[in-house]
Amino acid sequence: MHCKKASVADIVFVVDGSSSIGEPNFQQLRDFLYTFVDSLDVSVDNVRVGLAQYSDDAHKEFLLNTFSNKSEILTHIQDLAYRKGGTYTGKALEFIKEQYFTPSAGSRVDKGVPQIAIVLTDGESSDNVSAPANELRKLGVLVYVIGINVAEYGELKEIANNFHRASGLPFFTGLHSVGYLTDLFSFCFAVVAPLLADVVFLVDESGSISSENFKQIRSFISNIVNVLDVSSDKVRIGVVLYSDSPNVEFFLNTFFSKEEVLQQVQKLPFRGGGANTGRALDYLRTEIFQESVGSRKAQGVQQIAVVITDGISSDNVSLPAANLRRDGITIFAVGVQEADISQLRQIASHPPRKYVHKVENYLELSNVKKSLQKLLCNDILVQAFVIPKVTRLIAEGCEETEEADIYFLIDGSGSIYPQDFLDMKKFIIAMTKMFRIGKEEVRIGVVQYSLTTRLEFSVAQYGTAKEITIAVKNIAQLGGGTETGAALKSMENHFREAARTRQAKVPQFLITITDGKSDDSVVEAANSLRSMGVLTYAVGIRDADMAEIEQIAGVPERMFYVNNFDSLKQIKDEVVRKICSKEVCKQKEADVIFLIDGSGSIFPVDFDKMKGFMEAMVDKSDIGPDKVQFGLLQFSDSPREEFQLNAYDNQLQLKQEITNMEQLGGGTNTGAALEFASQYFDQSKGGRPSVRQFLVIITDGEAQDEVSKPAQALRQKGIIIYSIGVENANTTQLLEISGGIDKVHSINNFDDLRYVEDKIIFEICTQEETCKRMEVADVMFVVDGSGSIQPEQFVSMQKFMMSLVNISDVGKDKVHFGAVVYSNQPDEAFRLNQYFTKDGLKDAIWKMHKKGGGTYTASAMTFARDRFTQPYGGRMSNNVSRVMIVITDGAATDRIALPIASRDVHKQGISVYAVGVGNAKTQDLEIMAGTKNKVFYCDGGTISSVCQWKCEVLRGDIVILLDGSESISKGNFTITLQFMKEVVNHFKIGEKEVRIGVAQFSTNVRKEFYLNEFYAKEDIFKRIDTIDQIEEGTRTGNALTFVRSFFTAEAGSRKAQGVPQNLLIITDGDSKDPVEEPAKALRAENINIYVIGVGNLNDFDLIKITGDSNRVFPITNFNAPIEVILTPFLSNFLPDCNIDIAVGFDISKRTRPTLFFSGQPNLQVYFPEIMAQISSVAKISCASGSQISVRLGYHLATDTGKVIYDTRFENYSTEIVEKLMTLQTREATFLNERFLQDFADKFTKDSNAKVKVLLIFSDGLDSSVEIMEEESRKLQGKGIHTLVTVALDGIFNANDLQRIEFGRGFGYNSPLAIGMQNVAGAIYKELDSVFERECCCVSCKCVGQEGPRGPRGMPGLKVSNECKVGTRLFIGVCCPPNTIYPYCPYFCKSDCPSYPTDLVIALDMSEDVTPTAFERMRNVTLSIVDQLAITESNCPTGARVAVVTFNTHTKYLIRFSDYLLKSKLINSIRQIALERTSNQRNIGAAMRFVAQHAFKRVRKGMLVRKVAVFIANGASQDVTPINTAVLEFKALDITPVVIAFKNVPNVVRAFATDQTRSFLVRVLERQMNQEEQLRYILRCSVCYDVCSPSEECSQVNLLPVPQPINMDLTFVVDGSRNIRTDEYEGIKELLNAVLNDVIVSDQVRPFSAGARIALVQHSPLSHAPRQGQSPVTLEFDLEQYRNRNMMKRHISEKMRQVGGSSSVGYAIDWVMKNIMNKSRPRSLKVIFAIVGGETSEWDREKLLESALVAKCQGVAMFVLTVGRKFSSSQIEDLASDPLSQHVVYLGRVQLPEIEYAERFSQAFFSLLNSKFSFYLRILHCVSPCCKKPGPLETMDSGTSINQSITSVVY
């Protein structure tokens, strides 16, 4: 990346020829002018030069158009006469304005060409200079002034445009040191180029702009264009003018040269008219930014619009601008004069401070020109290269936020447009991707509000980012008003519930998003949330009230504002950074030095702002000698130390010293300051070379000395430099200082520093920790060789040491390594000065061997300490960093001496890192290292640096294309060859593994060797050493064409065999020929191209080669650390990692037929958690979450091979886990030879995964250890990577299990047992190390130590110890400890209720209830409650009770959460009084209220039950609500009980349809038998024991066998394009679930019992009405299948979505004619329609007609809707009455919804069967063409799962 010099300019030199100069000094002026002009590209079309000399008067030497070539100008300068006289500079400035900067004198000011005046003078002017200088500036002339031997700078400042264009020199001989003038145009325009962008100017030409002002606009556009590199493959320009309507002047592909564009800009017409900016913005989106007219948006090229307007738009701009931005166009808005600032903000991209520019008149456009030039160019670079990297860094940093609960509270009010609501959902999804999502990690929930609040999903509901993404996409907008205060108040319960589902306290965040002022107060609710510890963030959009936003957030730092919803994506990184900053910067070590510009150009108020910036960074850091240290240096003409890094170790002192700093004043010698700063990172100045070190430099101008070399020296030292340039800072120099655009921050003013502080502190905390490359250090390995170390473990230690050698810069003057091996005595393996090559060191390490004996670590450390001294090869006197790395696996035998030995080592300045493996003691490691931050644990198979990619398992063909051009020095070419060898060394080379080929290019290309010439590393290394440099030009395009020949079979390519093909290009220069087409040709052949660009290359050209910026690796020079490139480059070669885990169970100790897990209580408790955790690998070090696939497969078989249970490898499924836990069998399983052989066969048959793991839960080996070890070795030989065993309860020979394991590495010393603490976490850690090793070639994952255990919990409840297992089965297993709330007391069984129960009691308060009757109801209620054990928390134990009253309406009296003490609950019930009313009784309505509202907030847990008791004074005349309630209770798994004081026939009839017989009705007409009846209700309903039911409850059967229903059932499935693919798959699962509950007729006899079932879907793509095609695809008819398994197989394997238009009506018509009325139709007929959207317009009349005909013919029409795009009126036309029983609004099609629909349909069929004759009678019609069916029952609304399902999924 480099700054581009302006190719076009008009420059006038104004030379002082007064007598005070003297002839010798005037000759110096001549020489300076000659040298300067000679460096310019002088021509008529490029740079024009004029010269004037002045003394008493001004004299015209030559004008801008006098000479057309450089030689004539230089001749005149050589002969320049010295005129002498006085010093009248003001007169000279006026002279050049009138005589030089005019078109007649050659000035191109009217064409937008930069106008520059350079004044050289030696004294104070005799006249006024201020006014004429100001006139020049108004004309747009940039004035530079050089004062020689001038005592007072004030006049120079008056002449120059700003201070930085005024320079003072003591002598004329110093003229040649004014180096910045020779780089004048880089400074003037500060343009980073070449760039890649499509830029369109949208220019207001309305009548409010005069023709004179329009000239200023032309000039402004020309100035912007002039500094861009215009061409077809770099920057393209388009222009659109607009007034009432837009007019395109030229498209992006009209002109491809700057000259043509500039000429056309000067011809832009001015038409006048109105100002419809919104219409013009729409025109840009639809007509201009299109591929057909030159846009390269599809190629990833930045799209930019620059809007220039001077007034208020006549139409709306907000929506068109938002749509333009949504299309990926960045918008700059420039407003002049009357332009409305609010409209400009609506138009521009976010943030306005960057993209909105407002000036008061057209003359001021020239002032905004430069800042816009810088912003425009910088933005192109930032968007292309910085933002992707920053986003990745933030995501990586947020992994430090290991646990958090984040709720989004989103405004769904009616003021938000649908597209805006979609933007809000996209924002949430994007935020989700930034965190490590998991049930035990970061959890996300969403609540929507308007006038009401709706929980969309809780933080505990979803455990993966994918699930959250789907859930967010399915959120539908509420509409309505805006009551933010009430919504905030509702969040308290959500956060309390979230806390209950965590084992320990985790950070809680609330992000509120709203677009308007709330209708209620937010203050109290927001304060209350913060008092709970919730961190509240607020995002205001559009019309949001900013005062209210701050009230929600609490502090300004947590509030954000954007002008429109599409801009939410722009603040995503900022919001995430705020959330993660605290965690990511915790316990970080870093040295940070501020280098502050204190020159005279900075005003005192701005200097104070810099102090505020530094103090804010200090505030946000963890300060300390082992944490973050800050130092401060100030510079101007010379640098000054303020304080060193180790001077202060607390925030207060640091901030005080920063405050006390006084400004220096003077010039800006940045280079000298950088050189000065280097020493302050050394140990002698308080630096810590072993930690990451940063320099943060802030400057507001251009350096007056060279910055490149001192900055490069700092970076080579490992210092990361952040440059902050304010106002006039030189972008080129900032790049030279930082070495990359991602570390350069350009801001408009010092106020903007506050926007930078968070970015820099976050990046300091999240810099890629790729193991800081050691360049100069003495490193001593101290290796435990005691008897506890196994041979394979010692080998892994050797590999670890070799990996550190690999990433270090080994050499005589670089890194030295030594090693000590110890047990009882320490022995020197080799000294620090013994080997100076990596190969020599690795050979010495490989020859090391373990000793056996004890672990005398203290003695070894003392021994090793002495080996750092000079006699043993140490370099103590040379200020070289010294590092000791101790690796041990056990407690030190000489532990008592360890503290003293460790302190002695630390006193010598030696940094100690302690690596613990196996049973290493934490305390010992911390004593050795002296800090927790230098303690590491390794749990993988071997130890290795995470930085090292030692991949021995991959296949690939890699061709290296090496730049051998003359621009690369001999030394750098040698470095490149060494780098190639490093690349080769990181792969396993071989004919069947990785092959390497090399070609070298310059002007021509040369084959060095093909892919099939060498298959050994040593041979490749030897051949690389013989490569000679070509040393010609750089034609990369030609080389790309040539290198295609390498990717052929003849050259050794294995492309045909599917082996990945890769091309690595190493180059240091821009290509002199086109690269785009040959690169495209290579990529079209699936060749992955990577480019390493060295030096100031055009990164955009490199992207053209690779096609992906992620495959471009820029480095500043050839000496850059190799791992900076090697690590990310090699990571691209790692394929997606798919992992199959087979799970087996050896439970041989069984006594009787029962649940398979019986007798293993810990397995019952922890198994679901184990499976969930091991399948939730969020991220491994070399891959993103999307690249990892973990599948589980289960296999249970007897020792004879009989399969008990088996699944294929598939994603984690709670359903499968539940099936396993409820599996009943009398068979035992045995861990013997056959057991392992079965799993070998399973992997062979079912798995092609990259990683194969066998996990066995065992109660002990059932064959000899020797035989099993041999069988284990066979298993390993068949490609199984790891075998892990978990010892179950009751095991006798646990140690034998470990002998058959393999692939665990150091974990071998830690046996896994089901009863161990955090067994799920322990297993996960084991497998995570396996995944790292096999997927990433990282043979060990070093992790920090576990945190401290939490405080001891409260003692559990006293419960019965008796836990008998019954014969019946209920959803889970009997008597498990609670698995959802591990910190709650275990429950096995209490007397009543037997299991956690939520009970609602409803009391009748209708018109006929007397006080006596109500008193009886209350006594019944008290009698029930008195028998219950009431829970005192929300943990799933005991009962929670709610009470409602009902008549025509239902209302709450007591909620579940109101009373946790039984005595208070009973007292409250006693105080309930009868309320007199005239309302009648409606039991059904009360039941529906309870189902939909009271049970909306229930507890979780496998055995949590829901029971509702209704106490009624008499019968209810309503029928429909009762029947509907029965369906809903069944669907929601609620058990109802009705206690009536008189007969209730409607309830009895409705409850009779319940096949489980758990729906109870008890009539208590007399009180004499009341007690007995209540006892029955308690035992058989409220306190029913599902595991061991009482004998008197024998009629209750919770798992009844489905009863045959003699019906014809046809499923009519919407397979149209209305249905999404994921919804369609859900529909298939739903069909299979419904079939589970239907007995299918075998059709042996004409009317065999059971149902006949058909299935059709509509409509095929070919179907169109009135053309005779079938409107359906027939899957199977009523007679095709005679058992449901065949139907389910057909649905799963053969049924495919048809994808045509929706035609429900025609489909029903076809079904009636071709299915329902054919083949001996049965009397009971049902059409089960699944609808996913509105039917086609041409089908609507047919729908009404065919539905009426079906109903008239006695067909029950049942409708289930999917999604939210259906038409309610069409559903009502389609379904039978009452709608509440024939319509289910399902919404999503996921497991909870499928279960709801299955239970509802099961109850519906049962209800239908019981009412069959009645159903036919009331549907009968006189004629088949009746207009409407007869009235079935009173119509009411359909059953909405959106209301009801909450109680299932909450």
Side-chain angles (χ1 to χ4, degrees), residues 951-1102:
C951 295
E952 303 289 341
V953 294
L954 305 178
R955 293 196 309 158
D957 293 339
I958 302 175
V959 176
I960 302 175
L961 184 57
L962 174 66
D963 185 349
S965 60
E966 59 192 355
S967 59
I968 299 174
S969 68
K970 287 288 186 185
N972 286 339
F973 190 76
T974 302
I975 293 172
T976 307
L977 297 180
Q978 181 60 36
F979 174 79
M980 288 168 56
K981 291 164 73 172
E982 290 281 356
V983 172
V984 173
N985 193 44
H986 279 71
F987 292 100
K988 185 176 182 180
I989 303 299
E991 184 176 2
K992 295 182 179 179
E993 288 83 19
V994 175
R995 298 183 181 182
I996 301 288
V998 175
Q1000 184 186 174
F1001 75 97
S1002 185
T1003 302
N1004 298 303
V1005 198
R1006 183 172 76 202
K1007 181 212 91 171
E1008 299 296 348
F1009 55 89
Y1010 283 131
L1011 291 160
N1012 54 3
E1013 291 190 38
F1014 304 108
Y1015 297 134
K1017 266 183 198 176
E1018 294 73 18
D1019 295 336
I1020 293 175
F1021 289 165
K1022 289 176 184 176
R1023 179 65 181 84
I1024 288 174
D1025 288 337
T1026 67
I1027 295 176
D1028 292 323
Q1029 188 176 357
I1030 298 176
E1031 295 186 271
E1032 295 172 355
T1034 308
R1035 295 183 62 210
T1036 314
N1038 179 47
L1040 291 169
T1041 301
F1042 173 86
V1043 85
R1044 287 180 68 183
S1045 63
F1046 274 65
F1047 296 100
T1048 61
E1050 295 76 17
S1053 169
R1054 294 168 290 173
K1055 182 167 57 177
Q1057 290 95 327
V1059 174
Q1061 305 292 286
N1062 305 282
L1063 174 63
L1064 171 61
I1065 304 168
I1066 307 173
T1067 181
D1068 86 324
D1070 294 332
S1071 178
K1072 300 300 185 287
D1073 60 348
V1075 297
E1076 196 162 1
E1077 292 305 318
K1080 276 185 183 176
L1082 282 166
R1083 296 199 304 270
E1085 295 181 17
N1086 292 320
I1087 296 166
N1088 304 311
I1089 308 178
Y1090 307 89
V1091 179
I1092 297 174
V1094 187
N1096 295 322
L1097 283 175
N1098 179 5
D1099 287 358
F1100 288 107
D1101 278 347
L1102 302 186

Side-chain angles (χ1 to χ4, degrees), residues 1283-1422:
L1283 190 161
V1284 177
T1285 63
V1286 181
L1288 295 178
D1289 296 330
I1291 190 169
F1292 178 69
N1293 52 349
N1295 291 334
D1296 289 348
L1297 279 181
Q1298 289 183 266
R1299 293 176 62 178
I1300 70 168
E1301 292 182 320
F1302 55 84
R1304 280 184 59 191
F1306 281 99
Y1308 281 123
N1309 287 339
S1310 304
L1312 297 171
I1314 196 65
M1316 68 190 299
Q1317 180 188 350
N1318 190 18
V1319 62
I1323 297 172
Y1324 174 85
K1325 189 186 292 184
E1326 285 292 332
L1327 297 184
D1328 185 43
S1329 294
V1330 174
F1331 303 158
E1332 287 283 350
R1333 184 183 69 227
E1334 302 300 336
C1335 293
C1336 300
C1337 312
V1338 174
S1339 47
C1340 164
K1341 190 171 186 178
C1342 291
V1343 295
Q1345 65 187 67
E1346 283 191 8
R1349 293 184 62 183
R1352 185 177 180 88
M1354 295 293 290
L1357 296 177
K1358 291 184 178 180
V1359 297
S1360 168
N1361 291 323
E1362 181 184 3
C1363 187
K1364 298 177 181 177
V1365 178
T1367 57
R1368 294 186 178 87
L1369 182 64
F1370 178 66
I1371 306 174
V1373 297
C1374 290
C1375 313
N1378 178 26
T1379 59
I1380 302 299
Y1381 295 85
Y1383 57 87
C1384 290
Y1386 278 16
F1387 63 85
C1388 182
K1389 200 166 70 173
S1390 59
D1391 291 335
C1392 187
S1394 299
Y1395 300 102
T1397 301
D1398 283 350
L1399 171 65
V1400 177
I1401 301 177
L1403 303 178
D1404 185 356
M1405 279 199 185
S1406 52
E1407 60 177 352
D1408 63 350
V1409 177
T1410 65
T1412 302
F1414 187 75
E1415 180 65 23
R1416 188 179 174 196
M1417 290 182 203
R1418 190 165 51 198
N1419 288 337
V1420 167
T1421 304
L1422 290 169

Side-chain angles (χ1 to χ4, degrees), residues 439-440 503 1143 1145 1157 1160-1176 1192 1194 1212-1222 1255 1257 1314 1319-1321 1323-1324 1371-1373 1376-1382 1501-1502:
K439 291 282 189 181
E440 301 301 325
Q503 295 188 32
V1143 184
F1145 302 90
F1157 283 4
Q1160 291 292 335
N1162 279 316
L1163 184 60
Q1164 292 173 348
V1165 173
Y1166 298 120
F1167 181 68
E1169 182 186 355
I1170 293 169
M1171 292 299 102
Q1173 192 158 348
I1174 67 174
S1175 64
S1176 63
L1192 301 171
Y1194 303 89
Y1212 170 73
S1213 164
T1214 54
E1215 184 179 356
I1216 291 177
V1217 171
E1218 286 176 5
K1219 284 181 180 177
L1220 268 170
M1221 295 186 67
T1222 57
L1255 175 63
F1257 295 88
I1314 196 65
V1319 62
I1323 297 172
Y1324 174 85
I1371 306 174
V1373 297
N1378 178 26
T1379 59
I1380 302 299
Y1381 295 85
M1502 293 178 60

Side-chain angles (χ1 to χ4, degrees), residues 1344-1633:
Q1345 65 187 67
E1346 283 191 8
R1349 293 184 62 183
R1352 185 177 180 88
M1354 295 293 290
L1357 296 177
K1358 291 184 178 180
V1359 297
S1360 168
N1361 291 323
E1362 181 184 3
C1363 187
K1364 298 177 181 177
V1365 178
T1367 57
R1368 294 186 178 87
L1369 182 64
F1370 178 66
I1371 306 174
V1373 297
C1374 290
C1375 313
N1378 178 26
T1379 59
I1380 302 299
Y1381 295 85
Y1383 57 87
C1384 290
Y1386 278 16
F1387 63 85
C1388 182
K1389 200 166 70 173
S1390 59
D1391 291 335
C1392 187
S1394 299
Y1395 300 102
T1397 301
D1398 283 350
L1399 171 65
V1400 177
I1401 301 177
L1403 303 178
D1404 185 356
M1405 279 199 185
S1406 52
E1407 60 177 352
D1408 63 350
V1409 177
T1410 65
T1412 302
F1414 187 75
E1415 180 65 23
R1416 188 179 174 196
M1417 290 182 203
R1418 190 165 51 198
N1419 288 337
V1420 167
T1421 304
L1422 290 169
S1423 181
I1424 292 172
V1425 172
D1426 191 52
Q1427 301 294 316
L1428 302 179
I1430 302 298
T1431 184
E1432 296 185 359
S1433 70
N1434 275 347
C1435 295
T1437 58
R1440 295 195 308 171
V1441 177
V1443 179
V1444 301
T1445 61
F1446 70 94
N1447 41 55
T1448 306
H1449 307 291
T1450 307
K1451 73 174 184 178
Y1452 274 111
L1453 292 183
I1454 298 172
R1455 298 176 187 265
F1456 285 131
S1457 57
D1458 287 352
Y1459 297 104
L1460 296 179
L1461 291 177
K1462 185 173 181 177
S1463 58
K1464 290 187 177 182
L1465 173 63
I1466 289 175
N1467 188 52
S1468 180
I1469 293 171
R1470 285 197 178 109
Q1471 293 176 16
I1472 297 174
L1474 175 65
E1475 296 177 6
R1476 304 306 299 172
T1477 180
S1478 60
N1479 292 329
Q1480 295 184 338
R1481 186 179 303 108
N1482 192 327
I1483 298 175
M1487 292 179 68
R1488 296 196 67 190
F1489 176 90
V1490 168
Q1492 296 177 8
H1493 298 285
F1495 283 113
K1496 203 169 187 178
R1497 298 289 183 268
V1498 296
R1499 295 174 291 174
K1500 293 181 180 178
M1502 293 178 60
L1503 296 179
V1504 173
R1505 301 181 65 239
K1506 293 172 284 186
V1507 180
V1509 176
F1510 298 86
I1511 308 176
N1513 193 45
S1516 178
Q1517 298 306 311
D1518 51 308
V1519 175
T1520 298
I1522 293 177
N1523 290 335
T1524 302
V1526 167
L1527 296 176
E1528 291 179 345
F1529 269 53
K1530 181 56 67 178
L1532 293 169
D1533 200 21
I1534 303 168
T1535 302
V1537 176
V1538 173
I1539 300 172
F1541 296 161
K1542 299 172 188 174
N1543 284 330
V1544 282
N1546 288 342
V1547 177
V1548 173
R1549 278 196 297 271
F1551 279 22
T1553 63
D1554 168 42
Q1555 296 179 15
T1556 67
R1557 301 293 183 263
S1558 62
F1559 285 25
L1560 299 184
V1561 180
R1562 286 293 181 265
V1563 179
L1564 307 180
E1565 291 189 90
R1566 296 190 302 273
Q1567 291 194 20
M1568 63 179 61
N1569 64 344
Q1570 178 173 303
E1571 187 176 338
E1572 183 180 340
Q1573 293 283 18
L1574 291 178
R1575 186 169 59 250
Y1576 179 86
I1577 290 168
L1578 282 168
R1579 287 187 180 177
C1580 300
S1581 185
V1582 178
C1583 300
Y1584 181 68
D1585 187 342
V1586 298
C1587 292
S1588 182
S1590 170
E1591 291 182 3
E1592 61 184 308
C1593 309
S1594 57
Q1595 83 284 359
V1596 178
N1597 181 8
L1598 296 183
L1599 289 177
V1601 176
Q1603 297 301 307
I1605 301 174
N1606 296 332
M1607 66 176 171
D1608 285 344
L1609 169 63
T1610 299
F1611 292 101
V1612 180
V1613 175
D1614 187 346
S1616 71
R1617 63 178 70 100
N1618 285 341
I1619 300 289
R1620 299 198 314 264
T1621 303
D1622 60 323
E1623 290 175 336
Y1624 189 77
E1625 292 303 313
I1627 288 171
K1628 289 166 67 174
E1629 291 182 31
L1630 187 150
L1631 289 170
N1632 284 332

Side-chain angles (χ1 to χ4, degrees), residues 1231-1262:
L1231 181 50
N1232 53 22
E1233 308 95 292
R1234 179 62 181 263
F1235 186 99
L1236 295 184
Q1237 289 165 7
D1238 283 350
F1239 277 100
D1241 294 341
K1242 181 174 181 63
F1243 277 114
T1244 302
K1245 181 181 66 169
D1246 295 341
S1247 176
N1248 58 358
K1250 175 181 173 61
V1251 183
K1252 300 174 183 177
V1253 177
L1254 175 55
L1255 175 63
I1256 301 174
F1257 295 88
S1258 173
D1259 61 9
L1261 296 183
D1262 296 300

Side-chain angles (χ1 to χ4, degrees), residues 12-69:
V12 176
F13 292 96
V14 188
V15 179
D16 183 353
S18 61
S19 301
S20 60
I21 288 178
E23 180 61 44
N25 289 335
F26 196 78
Q27 182 59 45
Q28 293 288 340
L29 283 172
R30 293 189 192 102
D31 294 344
F32 169 73
L33 290 172
Y34 187 98
T35 302
F36 188 83
V37 172
D38 192 37
S39 70
L40 301 175
D41 185 11
V42 176
S43 71
V44 174
D45 297 324
N46 296 329
V47 177
R48 297 183 182 182
V49 175
L51 175 62
Q53 185 182 171
Y54 75 96
S55 52
D56 295 310
D57 296 302
H59 177 76
K60 186 189 300 177
E61 297 292 347
F62 54 85
L63 298 172
L64 290 163
N65 56 2
T66 303
F67 301 120
S68 59
N69 63 67

